[in-house]
Amino acid sequence: MLPDQVYSPAEDSHLLLRAALAEVRETDRVLEVGTGSGYVAAGMLGRAAMVTATDINPFAVGCARARGVAAVWTDLAAGLCGPFDLILFNPPYLPTAPEERMDDWMEYALDGGPTGRVVIERFAAEIGRVLAPFGRVLLLVSSLTGLDAVRELFARAGFISFVVDEERVEDETLYVIRAMRDLCRMGA
Amino acid sequence: MRKSLMEILCCPVCKGDLELIVVEESGEEVLEGTLRCAACRVDYPVSEGIPNLLPETACED
């Protein structure tokens, strides 16, 4: 039973876990950012060398710890130095107007700002600091958030990306993109 | 948190190393303690096994 201030695993969580299980290697140091209930991170236990998870919501951090995941209460990867070989993120991605904001913990799990991409932009700008040189990022993206716009902002941050999995859910399509440093552009 | 987690933690502000001060532990697991950033002169708590590295909840010197 999850506290009602924690996002319950849904189709997006299941899709990210499926993609992560297909991607992970035994030697990977894995980080899940914004883990929520810890469902995806817990699914990686025993499949990687190390699994760490973060959340800005203290109730979520408690849930992840209860699932046996090394959990850190911080914003994205702020209190971590890494390096990590595989970073997973199911971000808050719903386009949300200021008057729609709820001002509670669940909002951090859902609210992507007016474009739906506010937190994703911050993630793309910051995540290189904790990503190993050949590390991979798996990011859940919704058609509501704009697949092309998300891939473009990762490209501007120096990453190449492509879709590795997708699923249609009612009036939305969910994608998982895999991003890596664009090694051809490094030092350019 | 396990003590080995220290390898991947840093100060959320300056990204420098943290010093672990253990108050209560159980084997390798730290239950209560402090993560101190000497450079920023800020203490971050470890409470119920969870390191709290949110800058706005830290205690300044």
Side-chain angles (χ1 to χ4, degrees), chain A residues 42-124:
Chain A
M44 307 304 286
L45 291 172
R47 303 290 301 265
M50 185 183 86
V51 181
T52 308
T54 69
D55 208 288
I56 198 167
N57 174 348
F59 302 102
V61 178
C63 289
R65 177 175 155 81
R67 289 186 194 253
V69 175
V72 180
W73 183 10
T74 197
D75 177 31
L76 299 180
L80 303 178
C81 54
F84 298 98
D85 306 294
L86 177 61
I87 297 178
L88 313 173
F89 190 25
N90 180 6
Y93 61 69
L94 295 178
T96 308
E99 63 272 19
E100 294 174 311
R101 303 192 72 216
M102 299 176 294
D103 205 23
D104 66 6
W105 285 114
M106 189 59 90
E107 182 164 289
Y108 283 102
L110 303 175
D111 181 357
T115 60
R117 294 187 294 275
V118 168
V119 181
I120 299 172
E121 280 173 28
R122 224 155 45 78
F123 174 80

Side-chain angles (χ1 to χ4, degrees), chain A residues 50 52 55-56 58 61-62 65 70-75 77-84 105 108 129, chain B residues 1 5-13 15 18 29-31 48-57:
Chain A
M50 185 183 86
T52 308
D55 208 288
I56 198 167
V61 178
R65 177 175 155 81
V72 180
W73 183 10
T74 197
D75 177 31
L80 303 178
C81 54
F84 298 98
W105 285 114
Y108 283 102
R129 184 180 60 80
Chain B
M1 58 169 273
L5 200 65
M6 288 305 294
E7 287 173 26
I8 59 158
L9 298 182
C10 68
C11 171
V13 177
K15 311 302 180 189
L18 297 166
E29 189 78 8
V30 179
L31 297 172
E48 296 179 6
I50 292 171
N52 172 356
L53 291 169
L54 275 186
E56 55 264 41
T57 53

Side-chain angles (χ1 to χ4, degrees), chain B residues 3-55:
Chain B
K3 288 177 188 165
S4 59
L5 200 65
M6 288 305 294
E7 287 173 26
I8 59 158
L9 298 182
C10 68
C11 171
V13 177
C14 75
K15 311 302 180 189
D17 287 342
L18 297 166
E19 180 196 352
L20 173 65
I21 301 149
V22 177
V23 173
E24 185 187 346
E25 62 191 320
S26 170
E28 278 300 292
E29 189 78 8
V30 179
L31 297 172
E32 302 290 330
T34 297
L35 295 164
R36 177 164 292 165
C37 177
C40 298
R41 303 181 123 198
V42 168
D43 282 350
Y44 296 94
V46 179
S47 178
E48 296 179 6
I50 292 171
N52 172 356
L53 291 169
L54 275 186

